[in-house]
Amino acid sequence: MADNSKIAVLDSSLTDRLPISSKTLFDAKASKSLTFDSIAKELGRSEVAVAALFYGQAQASAEDVKKLSNILGVPESKLAEQLLGFPDRGRAGPMPPVEPLIYRLYEIVQNYGYAYKAVLNEKFGDGIMSAIAFSTKVEKETDEKGVDWAVITLRGKWLPFSRF
Amino acid sequence: MADNSKIAVLDSSLTDRLPISSKTLFDAKASKSLTFDSIAKELGRSEVAVAALFYGQAQASAEDVKKLSNILGVPESKLAEQLLGFPDRGRAGPMPPVEPLIYRLYEIVQNYGYAYKAVLNEKFGDGIMSAIAFSTKVEKETDEKGVDWAVITLRGKWLPFSRF
Amino acid sequence: MADNSKIAVLDSSLTDRLPISSKTLFDAKASKSLTFDSIAKELGRSEVAVAALFYGQAQASAEDVKKLSNILGVPESKLAEQLLGFPDRGRAGPMPPVEPLIYRLYEIVQNYGYAYKAVLNEKFGDGIMSAIAFSTKVEKETDEKGVDWAVITLRGKWLPFSRF
Amino acid sequence: MADNSKIAVLDSSLTDRLPISSKTLFDAKASKSLTFDSIAKELGRSEVAVAALFYGQAQASAEDVKKLSNILGVPESKLAEQLLGFPDRGRAGPMPPVEPLIYRLYEIVQNYGYAYKAVLNEKFGDGIMSAIAFSTKVEKETDEKGVDWAVITLRGKWLPFSRF
Amino acid sequence: MADNSKIAVLDSSLTDRLPISSKTLFDAKASKSLTFDSIAKELGRSEVAVAALFYGQAQASAEDVKKLSNILGVPESKLAEQLLGFPDRGRAGPMPPVEPLIYRLYEIVQNYGYAYKAVLNEKFGDGIMSAIAFSTKVEKETDEKGVDWAVITLRGKWLPFSRF
Amino acid sequence: MADNSKIAVLDSSLTDRLPISSKTLFDAKASKSLTFDSIAKELGRSEVAVAALFYGQAQASAEDVKKLSNILGVPESKLAEQLLGFPDRGRAGPMPPVEPLIYRLYEIVQNYGYAYKAVLNEKFGDGIMSAIAFSTKVEKETDEKGVDWAVITLRGKWLPFSRF
Amino acid sequence: MADNSKIAVLDSSLTDRLPISSKTLFDAKASKSLTFDSIAKELGRSEVAVAALFYGQAQASAEDVKKLSNILGVPESKLAEQLLGFPDRGRAGPMPPVEPLIYRLYEIVQNYGYAYKAVLNEKFGDGIMSAIAFSTKVEKETDEKGVDWAVITLRGKWLPFSRF
Amino acid sequence: MADNSKIAVLDSSLTDRLPISSKTLFDAKASKSLTFDSIAKELGRSEVAVAALFYGQAQASAEDVKKLSNILGVPESKLAEQLLGFPDRGRAGPMPPVEPLIYRLYEIVQNYGYAYKAVLNEKFGDGIMSAIAFSTKVEKETDEKGVDWAVITLRGKWLPFSRF
Amino acid sequence: MADNSKIAVLDSSLTDRLPISSKTLFDAKASKSLTFDSIAKELGRSEVAVAALFYGQAQASAEDVKKLSNILGVPESKLAEQLLGFPDRGRAGPMPPVEPLIYRLYEIVQNYGYAYKAVLNEKFGDGIMSAIAFSTKVEKETDEKGVDWAVITLRGKWLPFSRF
Amino acid sequence: MADNSKIAVLDSSLTDRLPISSKTLFDAKASKSLTFDSIAKELGRSEVAVAALFYGQAQASAEDVKKLSNILGVPESKLAEQLLGFPDRGRAGPMPPVEPLIYRLYEIVQNYGYAYKAVLNEKFGDGIMSAIAFSTKVEKETDEKGVDWAVITLRGKWLPFSRF
């Protein structure tokens, strides 16, 4: 019996919003009881990128497909066909998010959005932090009292507004 | 003449959505040409926290009020009165954000929300990353090619769902 | 100088959404540094009811007006005129709430709404818990580890659907 | 014939919004004519928690799965597979709620939200009541006139905003 | 051939929003060419209540189920199973309504809402007219010129706001 | 001092949504402590119609203006000017309504809308009940147990869809 | 092979929003390559009314059913069953419309709505143009330069607001 | 005293949504008790166009400004300044409309939108009826029974989709 | 194995929003590994027009159908039937767009909309740029540093507002 | 008297949504009867950029401020103060746009969004066209028949999604 407190699986009511590859990938992951951490290590990508790929929010290279086929035990041709094409991002869940964990991230944008803008503008000038030329990671810290802290790092290229 | 490429000021059309303290604080900051960085250093708080305080999204302690009075040259009694009370957060701008910089942060939540959830759940179990027992900072990195990158770090206490 | 970490005051950007009495009441409360707890005790009403009255969400009786006049030092005729009439409830803040504290209450309804319905239906039959024939209170508990817990109690008359 | 005035079942038009486990659990509950109260007692959890678990809004532990298998007569492996993973909360019903019973709870937040905030701030300082480190229960009271009252208690850990 | 100008049937595109009982009941009604008026008379309930029951907006008692089984020629066990449970009200159609007939009722609330509130407050004090302890009926009047008028009566218990 | 439990007045935060005549009329009504009932009797119109006129939702005839001038003690020329023109209806409050009393009426449409449609269609054929060739009234009933009931009657001309 | 530039057919992705009769009618129309113009002539109704009937927005009489059965070659009993009942109008497409042709009509209401109201009020007094006691037609005009113009005529009974 | 049943004036609560010229024009029209019909005749434009111009939804030519100055008794320079520029259309009222008269027009688009599209496509091919190369008029018809009918004509150039 | 970094395919979760022809066309395109560029050249149409046709946003002529049948290897009769009729445009994706690439185009309209209007008005007078008598193309430029730039050209007929 | 068919001015009802600089700039532009074209030439920037700057959607450099002061006859210190800071973009008008000209641009995104994505993906791979490293221009073409065409060019840097 799989340990339901360790493995992230795909909520069945979410399937219709996601590309068909999501179901294939999550089903294989569940049947092998793999974590994103272990897949990420074999794939040589970040954990969040792998999870994003599973949710149809990131692209797999041909090499990723080959490796995923081995890791998950899914025929390469099937994976290739389902992962064929360019991701259609942004439709995994509703906005504003209703999932409490995701809402907290949204709330950070809601509360600190203008503060980030003001600080970034003063540091970099008029522009934006790219969400495309961008990477992100999740880390776990435990403080001296044994309390766990989640640390999310967002790193994006600074794009100044063109003058025209 | 103030250098308009260095100092973040308050957009005049935003004033009505914010507490009266925002105008007082930003006006003083503009007239003294202070950056959030310099205020943060004097106040002993993070830059983002100071900007959030200016936008009415964070609370000032009595000591903050005293120091701000000195830094900004605003009478302490006036600041105290306007900063009196508990912040009414979340109303600075519309959601979804229309400001391009803030939208990019929103888009990160939209695209990677479920990926963050999956990775955090696997690392920590069933729960959320707090946006209250929380701190954040903004850093600037320049890579070997001279390209600037913005790095935003979110650090929140992990809160497991209570079993009841 | 008032202690800004003790007294709830009216956010200046909220004034336009509320009846004129809210400003009168909160201004007097701030200038006298009164808590809702102390006003509630003098008025013989619950703390939440008094706060609701200040936000224009509950009705004041003629006797409440007289007592409030004494407590707050506002002329009774002024209070009477402004509190004249039946409250126009529900417009204090946006829904979904953007204030983090209020959002948490909203989230409880979002997550547990159907669970409450199922349990209430099994306990009482087909009907609703009234929000009109209703009272509520807030209490503070501190557990053995010194951690504070907020306890909100909602008590409403059960109204069965009429058969017709 | 089951007594349709006693047992909460799953509305057929709601099935698509919920995880597949909801149908499994509610079908078994209906066929055994079990109330949440009786299940909660056998499971050693609160009634609302059990109903939330049925609606996919709370997590089952491995022991819960084993017990539920016995109580409901559903194979443990089937339950384990369907309850595998972390709940994707918040999507059971629309917001604002259209169900009259759930709307009344929403209305309480709408009307008394700022009053709760003001009172909680004065009692605890700047922070929120957690909806995660949180428990809730429903009780039935009958007053001296024989009128039934529903009492809902919300108990959440107080989380002060971090200073940073 | 059924007379399509006499009998209200279920629009096929509405089926998914309603409980499964709606289809069962409306199909049987259509095949027997029964009006709500005739069903209501046999059931001893009001016409609107019967129609609401068909749309899943009102509860059937055990005796209603038995009678409906006879009237409609549907096995009692099937009806009992589908009508088992507490109605999940409010999801039959979109709001604001797009159906012209239902929109007119909505428009009455939109235009006269505050007028009703003012008049009811003056007549009854601070409170609401219950929509739960409530009944309603529809009547047809023909004036002296032969013009038909629809008369809808709404009758709800007055609930004064509790003082607390 | 006016008795604030008897007279409906204009909520000050509502003024901006309403025509200027609303303030004039309500101010005069408040200063004379008049109920809608007493004004309606002098004007020879229904109570709800008078309240609707005060909220800018119904038109005043030249004779109404003359009478209102006498009843309220407002110069006829001022009233005429402000009531000049055709009402711009429907903007008094938000939809869905947030005021609990008005929400209950909205909820009746939400829950019983399709039931009304089905019953009206069977009684009258394909058409609508007019909200224009329409009148409405509010009555108070007290049952044998001393409980008050509000009765709202809606009476509208039946308009069959034209065949073309 | 059918000429795809002459015949309006049913978009396959629209089917679920419409009653089942829409598919039956449009399929038959397509297989017979009939225009609405030719059907309207045989039916003795206006072209727009026929198209509305196909989209489930208008009612068919028993005689319409008989004639449609002949024109389209669909068994009368099948048509009768599917067209049985009262149309559930207004759900064919989203509002605001996204289809460019339909959006232009919406835009006319958006831009000229108050102008129509002002002109109609001056011509007729306080009231509305009925959309129920209503007919409409579409005509094609070609000007002297050979340019085509579409002319849509809306004709509705004037309904004055009742005085009550 | 002006006759309030003849002249359309500007609702005072609408002023903020409209350009400043609207107030100038409507005030002058009211003080001279002019109908749109009489202004249109002097201006040589259609009644609806004049009303649209008053609501800021149509452009005035230099000659219109001169004539309006004479008709309304407003200095030409003031009118010219306020009517200077290109109209910013579409913001006069909310959509969906809440005004009953304007809603009826919206409802026609909602109910008959796809029917108009189908008929226009069959008559003209793939394209739209322009709302820019467009004119409209309102007429009053009285039938043999003395009943008034409003007739609105929409005439727009047919624009075929370009092939590219 | 198809090269998933070259060919645009249809996201499986998008299928339900699009006409049935979209699936047919994209499936054939994928199985033949054709780019829009190569199809456009054979068809003699622009690349964007071909992609729009695949997404059901543009019409195919009879000759397009014949050519597409050859290029894609789909029977002409099947294509003809599915492409029969007039496109029902505008429903391919949600607005505001959630896909990052499409959102950037939306953001351009949001940020520069009024600037375009002002410049176009000054250049052309009062009117609009048609989106119907319209063509568009996408080009790729590489600057001296080897950086790629996308260039989108929008070309629409200028339509002046009719004077009436 | 200014020629109202040549100069774009600021709609008075738009002022509140824009920064204070918009009013200053537009007022000066109107009083000098300057077009964006003439300002752009003196400023050495594109016409659209200048209009965007006037609407608060683009940043002015210190040199722009100096030149604008000369061109418009506004004191440099006043301009500098009002243009001080980083633009708060995206709030000039509502989305979806209600202005017909701006709506046409929005409609292009709505109809052709997925087509642009497919074509851009095939030409450039997985990424987006930047709206920040971006320029745009408006041109006027007149074809051989004397018909005017507006040509809008969008040119943005291609940003590939980072692999992480």
Side-chain angles (χ1 to χ4, degrees), chain E residues 25 44 81 91 96 106 132 139 142 155:
Chain E
L25 294 166
E81 190 189 324
R91 296 189 297 123
Y106 172 91
I132 309 298
E139 290 159 308
T142 307
R155 184 176 187 273

Side-chain angles (χ1 to χ4, degrees), chain A residues 52 55 57 89-92 131-132, chain B residues 106-115, chain I residues 98-100, chain J residues 161:
Chain A
Y55 279 108
Q57 309 294 310
R89 292 166 169 94
R91 298 189 295 123
I132 309 296
Chain B
Y106 172 91
E107 188 178 76
I108 290 166
V109 177
Q110 187 173 66
N111 286 5
Y112 298 105
Y114 270 97
Chain I
V98 295
E99 224 295 322
Chain J
F161 275 94

Side-chain angles (χ1 to χ4, degrees), chain F residues 86, chain G residues 112-130 154 156-159, chain H residues 5-8 36-37 47-48 51 55 99-102 104-105 137-141 148-153:
Chain F
F86 303 96
Chain G
Y112 297 105
Y114 270 98
Y116 285 130
K117 173 173 161 56
V119 169
L120 286 163
N121 281 163
E122 292 196 345
K123 277 190 151 40
F124 294 88
D126 189 30
I128 60 148
M129 180 185 91
S130 180
L154 315 171
K157 187 186 277 194
W158 184 258
L159 298 181
Chain H
S5 65
K6 294 267 174 53
I7 301 294
F36 282 119
D37 184 50
E47 239 176 319
V48 181
Y55 279 107
E99 226 293 324
L101 183 147
I102 303 174
R104 298 308 180 273
L105 301 175
K137 65 181 172 188
V138 168
E139 288 161 308
K140 183 179 192 168
E141 289 181 10
D148 288 335
W149 295 77
V151 181
I152 296 178
T153 310

Side-chain angles (χ1 to χ4, degrees), chain J residues 82-157:
Chain J
Q82 291 188 354
L83 291 169
L84 179 70
F86 303 97
D88 185 14
R89 292 166 169 95
R91 297 190 295 124
M95 293 294 273
V98 295
E99 226 294 323
L101 185 147
I102 303 174
Y103 184 82
R104 298 307 180 275
L105 301 174
Y106 171 92
E107 188 178 76
I108 290 166
V109 177
Q110 187 173 67
N111 286 5
Y112 298 105
Y114 269 97
Y116 285 130
K117 174 173 160 56
V119 169
L120 286 163
N121 280 163
E122 292 196 345
K123 277 190 150 42
F124 294 88
D126 189 29
I128 61 149
M129 182 185 89
S130 180
I132 309 297
F134 168 81
S135 67
T136 183
K137 65 180 173 190
V138 168
E139 288 160 309
K140 183 180 191 168
E141 289 181 11
T142 308
D143 67 17
E144 63 282 4
K145 295 179 192 157
V147 175
D148 289 335
W149 294 77
V151 181
I152 297 177
T153 310
L154 315 172
R155 184 178 188 272
K157 188 187 276 192

Side-chain angles (χ1 to χ4, degrees), chain B residues 162-164, chain C residues 116 149, chain D residues 130 132-137 153-156:
Chain B
S162 295
R163 179 181 166 87
F164 62 97
Chain C
Y116 286 130
W149 294 77
Chain D
S130 181
I132 308 296
F134 168 82
S135 66
T136 183
K137 65 181 171 188
T153 309
L154 316 172
R155 184 177 187 271

